[in-house]
Amino acid sequence: MSGKADFFEEDAAPAPGEDEVLLIDVDGFEGPLDLLLALARNQKVDLTKISVLALAEQYLAFIESVRSLHLQVAADYLVMAAWLAYLKSRLLLPDPEPPDEPTGEALAARLAFRLKRLQAMREAAAELTAREKLGREFFARGMPEALAGPGTSETRWQAGLYDLLAAYAAKRARHFASSIQLKKRTVIPLAEARERLMRLIGPSTAWTPIDQYLAEYLARPDMRATARASALSASLELVREGEIELMQASTFAPLYIRRKSKEKASA
Amino acid sequence: MPDLFVASSNVTSLSPEDRRLHLRMLEAILFAAAAPLSAAELAAKMPEGVKIDALLHELQTAYASRGVNLKQAGEAWAFRTAPDLGFLLEEHRQEEKKLSRPALETLAIIAYHQPVTRAEIEEVRGVSTSKGTLDVLLETGWVRPKGRRRTPGRPLTFGTTTEFLDHFGLSAISDLPGLAELKAAGLLNATIPPGFDAQPPFGEPPTEDFLDEDG
Amino acid sequence: MPDLFVASSNVTSLSPEDRRLHLRMLEAILFAAAAPLSAAELAAKMPEGVKIDALLHELQTAYASRGVNLKQAGEAWAFRTAPDLGFLLEEHRQEEKKLSRPALETLAIIAYHQPVTRAEIEEVRGVSTSKGTLDVLLETGWVRPKGRRRTPGRPLTFGTTTEFLDHFGLSAISDLPGLAELKAAGLLNATIPPGFDAQPPFGEPPTEDFLDEDG
């Protein structure tokens, strides 16, 4: 790299435009293989000539850049990244080969095969859509005549497989919904929380962490959330009424509670 | 203007390729038409200056001895089945009816849970099945009584027929996707409670007397 | 007037009148139906012992250059207007079923790899199938279950239907564009075929020592 490039930020990244396009499209990728295929196409060479190593590096760099922006990266992209990092190490350090495992070259070939296969199916899909189609370029008889059927019944019943499956699925779904045993959630009502809190605080006017009053509930995982929520709501109500005072040093810091002294309350 | 010459020229002055193309065009238009078309309507769809009457009569002659004839009714033209082959057609058009939702549900439950009794169908459907629904299904030829359950009351069980498989393009009942497969395909929008088999309960040993099929 | 239907008669064991009647009947049946009819369905409507395949091919040849063609779609047959005349019939154009990119890709994978399981489709695409892919394809009627794979779990396989072939103007699955080439390149294999050239992993230009092949 020339020294000059260091002075000009825009020269540092060889193709910032392309990266930006990819970043914007990150949600548009349908999984890691799709992203890899897009990167391979960016190599602007025939798929048969892609460098799997270069591709792995581009993918890892891309995921890194996305993560550095604190964007959520779906787990399967990270799994692919981990695998590509492994592949990279296998390609760069071919010795010693772990026994009973395919060589780095074999792994790379496998990846290239999957990319080529996906690309082939993309092209096949495009060719299918480009075909002359019924109802678009060629047509059926506009005035069909009813053929004599084997039976003599007056009605010909119409039903498709999709309708049949959808009907069954919908019926079962409703059945499941009605047979679901909802676990009875224990919820502490606000009134109860309020009464309890006042009783526990008692006459004490010393700052005490609110959790201390809830210790009995906090030990039980199923009660923890509802105990905290009810206690907080009740305490806010009590503050408004001038019964108690609340104090918190910072976000997520312990919440302290005390009875408002009567002298102050009356003052 | 060249148009005047085209208009005044007779059919034979056209190249054989053009005449053949015009016949092909007319054939395709008449075939795809949803209603009989008058010569004027046909002419409007054809290249300008085409002698529509001559073409129509040529096509009519070409099809005169075929299984399908080009018929003129009043001003309008249409392809119709040759009158002597009328026996191939329905005398009165069969009414095409869509299977009702309850019938479709019942059919699906019979297909998935066969052999199944009426009470069992109702248990899955959550509503009582009207006699009409089962009658319709029996009429379709897709469902038939399969036997009697060896339980008190010896209730009749139902199952699907070969015609059912043919109609729905299935090679076997086991081709029906199971609950997990329905969910994976995006057809089932519910959590399958544990204990429900991923696969439908096919091939269970029958605990019943089969009806004599010939009887 | 030239006979537009110059049918070559190879089937000579029948009297010419009988053969002609059979052709006319077949023509009438196929003209009357809007949907493709299978050779078996056609045979059921014809006199017993008729060589349906020979008749179908004869009819297909007779109509090959016409405005209406006899098209094969797998096991089934139907008359369709010639594709080059589509411009005349724009009024009949139906709104195209717009498939999402994943659905189209899945359709192509099912068409080229059939019978194929959902897991195999996902392997090719590298993502799990989302809702609105397989269910939408089943809804189009182009895709259907094709039996279960004899592997653990007996997964359901999918394949394409007659409607798929009819819609895309394919006479058989083997008519899919590029199918033979893809097969030859091993790209329809589930696993990497032996001899599939390992890609140069270090980004070198592909080594071109073709001389080795003879050695």
Side-chain angles (χ1 to χ4, degrees):
Chain A
M1 188 169 280
S2 76
K4 198 187 168 193
D6 295 332
F7 296 100
F8 298 97
E9 220 178 273
E10 60 265 41
D11 285 345
E18 261 177 36
D19 284 351
E20 271 161 30
V21 169
L22 284 173
L23 272 182
I24 292 158
D25 279 345
V26 72
D27 289 334
F29 289 111
E30 287 173 49
L33 213 54
D34 188 33
L35 170 55
L36 270 171
L37 197 56
L39 290 170
R41 269 197 235 103
N42 268 24
Q43 287 190 11
K44 291 189 178 72
V45 282
D46 168 359
L47 256 191
T48 56
K49 292 174 188 159
I50 53 163
S51 154
V52 171
L53 184 65
L55 193 59
E57 277 167 349
Q58 281 176 31
Y59 183 95
L60 292 169
F62 176 71
I63 292 296
E64 201 41 58
S65 70
V66 172
R67 293 185 78 185
S68 68
L69 292 172
H70 299 292
L71 292 176
Q72 284 282 327
V73 181
D76 45 350
Y77 287 86
L78 299 179
V79 170
M80 177 62 93
W83 187 81
L84 286 173
Y86 169 72
L87 175 64
K88 202 177 127 184
S89 73
R90 291 292 304 276
L91 289 173
L92 291 174
L93 310 160
D95 282 324
E97 300 251 321
D100 306 327
E101 264 187 54
T103 61
E105 281 75 15
L107 292 174
R110 167 88 195 141
L111 179 65
F113 168 73
R114 289 191 67 193
L115 289 174
K116 269 183 90 171
R117 189 174 57 179
L118 180 60
Q119 177 63 20
M121 286 301 107
R122 295 255 160 101
E123 282 160 10
E127 276 194 76
L128 265 187
T129 33
R131 284 187 74 82
E132 288 161 337
K133 294 179 283 294
L134 177 65
R136 301 290 300 172
E137 285 82 21
F138 61 92
F139 299 86
R141 175 97 184 262
M143 282 177 284
E145 294 165 88
L147 285 163
T152 49
S153 90
E154 301 273 302
T155 331
R156 192 173 305 194
W157 292 98
Q158 299 287 306
L161 180 63
Y162 176 82
D163 300 322
L164 185 78
L165 298 179
Y168 183 70
K171 207 68 228 174
R172 292 317 299 263
R174 259 177 284 167
H175 186 63
F176 292 158
S178 63
S179 68
I180 281 172
Q181 295 285 320
L182 271 179
K183 225 172 91 184
K184 216 179 156 200
R185 276 190 66 191
T186 29
V187 175
I188 301 171
L190 199 59
E192 189 189 322
R194 182 190 160 113
E195 187 198 313
R196 209 177 173 88
L197 200 59
M198 284 307 279
R199 199 175 65 236
L200 286 169
I201 294 172
S204 163
T205 52
W207 285 113
T208 313
I210 193 167
D211 279 2
Q212 202 166 305
Y213 295 121
L214 304 172
E216 173 193 346
Y217 296 115
L218 296 183
R220 292 168 55 188
D222 58 323
M223 296 295 286
R224 209 173 282 158
T226 182
R228 278 219 174 95
S230 314
L232 183 68
S233 307
S235 64
L236 292 175
E237 210 177 271
L238 290 164
V239 169
R240 189 164 51 84
E241 290 167 16
E243 293 283 346
I244 61 164
E245 288 178 305
L246 286 172
M247 180 186 74
Q248 191 176 30
S250 65
T251 319
F252 302 115
L255 190 65
Y256 285 84
I257 191 168
R258 71 170 180 192
R259 184 177 285 271
K260 204 167 184 178
S261 62
K262 284 294 158 203
E263 308 86 75
K264 263 194 194 165
S266 58
Chain B
M1 288 300 249
D3 276 8
L4 292 173
F5 292 108
V6 175
S8 61
S9 68
N10 60 32
V11 173
T12 45
S13 76
L14 282 167
S15 71
E17 294 80 42
D18 279 351
R19 194 182 57 88
R20 198 165 180 90
L21 175 64
H22 291 164
L23 282 173
R24 290 181 71 234
M25 288 166 78
L26 201 55
E27 233 171 358
I29 293 168
L30 284 162
F31 177 84
L37 295 170
S38 71
E41 286 171 310
L42 287 165
K45 294 172 196 294
M46 295 285 287
E48 247 180 277
V50 156
K51 288 218 150 183
I52 199 76
D53 286 327
L55 281 174
L56 279 167
H57 284 105
E58 191 170 347
L59 212 53
Q60 190 173 40
T61 311
Y63 276 93
S65 62
R66 315 284 310 176
V68 171
N69 304 150
L70 184 57
K71 297 259 180 65
Q72 187 176 13
E75 287 297 298
W77 295 78
F79 278 121
R80 297 318 268 172
T81 302
D84 66 313
L85 300 177
F87 65 92
L88 292 168
L89 303 177
E90 273 302 324
E91 271 177 48
H92 46 268
R93 217 186 155 90
Q94 268 185 332
E95 204 188 342
E96 295 209 338
K97 264 197 197 164
K98 260 189 106 109
L99 215 54
S100 71
R101 179 93 196 169
L104 207 56
E105 279 173 16
T106 307
L107 178 62
I109 293 163
I110 292 172
Y112 270 90
H113 299 271
Q114 61 187 304
V116 64
T117 66
R118 194 163 151 176
E120 289 160 350
I121 295 168
E122 291 178 357
E123 196 189 312
V124 177
R125 282 196 65 217
V127 283
S128 64
T129 304
S130 71
K131 190 169 180 304
T133 304
L134 263 174
D135 285 346
V136 162
L137 289 179
L138 290 167
E139 195 202 309
T140 59
W142 297 334
V143 159
R144 67 177 183 85
K146 273 263 166 105
R148 288 193 180 277
R149 188 65 50 82
R150 281 188 190 142
T151 51
R154 295 178 51 75
L156 203 59
T157 62
F158 296 92
T160 54
T161 60
T162 316
E163 290 82 65
F164 168 83
L165 294 177
D166 287 347
H167 180 89
F168 290 97
L170 299 164
S171 55
I173 277 295
S174 60
D175 273 13
L176 288 172
L179 288 176
E181 285 161 336
L182 285 172
K183 189 171 166 63
L187 278 153
L188 179 65
N189 300 308
T191 315
I192 301 165
F196 278 83
D197 270 337
Q199 303 304 321
F202 301 120
E204 283 170 0
T207 53
E208 60 196 288
D209 301 329
F210 282 95
L211 291 184
D212 188 350
E213 282 189 35
D214 304 314
Chain C
M1 187 138 315
D3 187 0
L4 291 167
F5 297 96
V6 195
S8 57
S9 61
N10 304 333
V11 194
T12 42
S13 63
L14 282 167
S15 72
E17 295 79 46
D18 277 352
R19 194 186 57 85
R20 192 156 186 92
L21 174 65
H22 292 164
L23 276 174
R24 290 181 69 233
M25 285 173 74
L26 200 58
E27 211 173 16
I29 293 166
L30 286 163
F31 246 83
L37 293 170
S38 73
E41 286 173 302
L42 289 166
K45 294 179 196 299
M46 295 284 290
E48 250 178 273
V50 156
K51 294 219 149 120
I52 200 81
D53 285 329
L55 285 173
L56 281 166
H57 284 105
E58 191 169 342
L59 214 51
Q60 188 173 43
T61 310
Y63 276 92
S65 61
R66 316 276 316 170
V68 173
N69 306 144
L70 182 57
K71 297 274 266 284
Q72 185 172 8
E75 296 291 300
W77 298 75
F79 275 117
R80 300 289 182 239
T81 61
D84 66 313
L85 300 176
F87 68 96
L88 288 168
L89 305 167
E90 275 172 6
E91 58 182 298
H92 301 299
R93 272 198 167 196
Q94 292 152 12
E95 201 57 47
E96 206 167 0
K97 292 172 193 166
K98 267 278 172 224
L99 289 181
S100 68
R101 203 182 79 153
L104 256 174
E105 215 170 280
T106 304
L107 178 64
I109 294 167
I110 291 173
Y112 282 79
H113 287 78
Q114 62 185 308
V116 64
T117 67
R118 189 176 51 83
E120 288 160 355
I121 296 167
E122 292 180 353
E123 218 271 326
V124 174
R125 296 194 59 228
V127 278
S128 54
T129 315
S130 60
K131 234 175 246 173
T133 306
L134 262 177
D135 54 336
V136 163
L137 290 178
L138 284 165
E139 200 179 354
T140 60
W142 296 339
V143 159
R144 67 176 178 88
K146 269 255 166 111
R148 291 181 180 276
R149 185 68 50 81
R150 284 191 188 161
T151 52
R154 297 184 55 74
L156 199 63
T157 65
F158 295 92
T160 53
T161 61
T162 303
E163 286 99 301
F164 167 81
L165 295 174
D166 188 26
H167 184 86
F168 290 99
L170 296 159
S171 59
I173 281 303
S174 55
D175 261 17
L176 281 169
L179 184 78
E181 292 89 326
L182 290 172
K183 209 172 244 174
L187 285 168
L188 301 182
N189 295 17
T191 52
I192 182 162
F196 183 87
D197 236 5
Q199 305 304 308
F202 294 98
E204 308 140 356
T207 45
E208 289 177 90
D209 43 357
F210 295 118
L211 291 175
D212 277 5
E213 279 181 34
D214 295 47

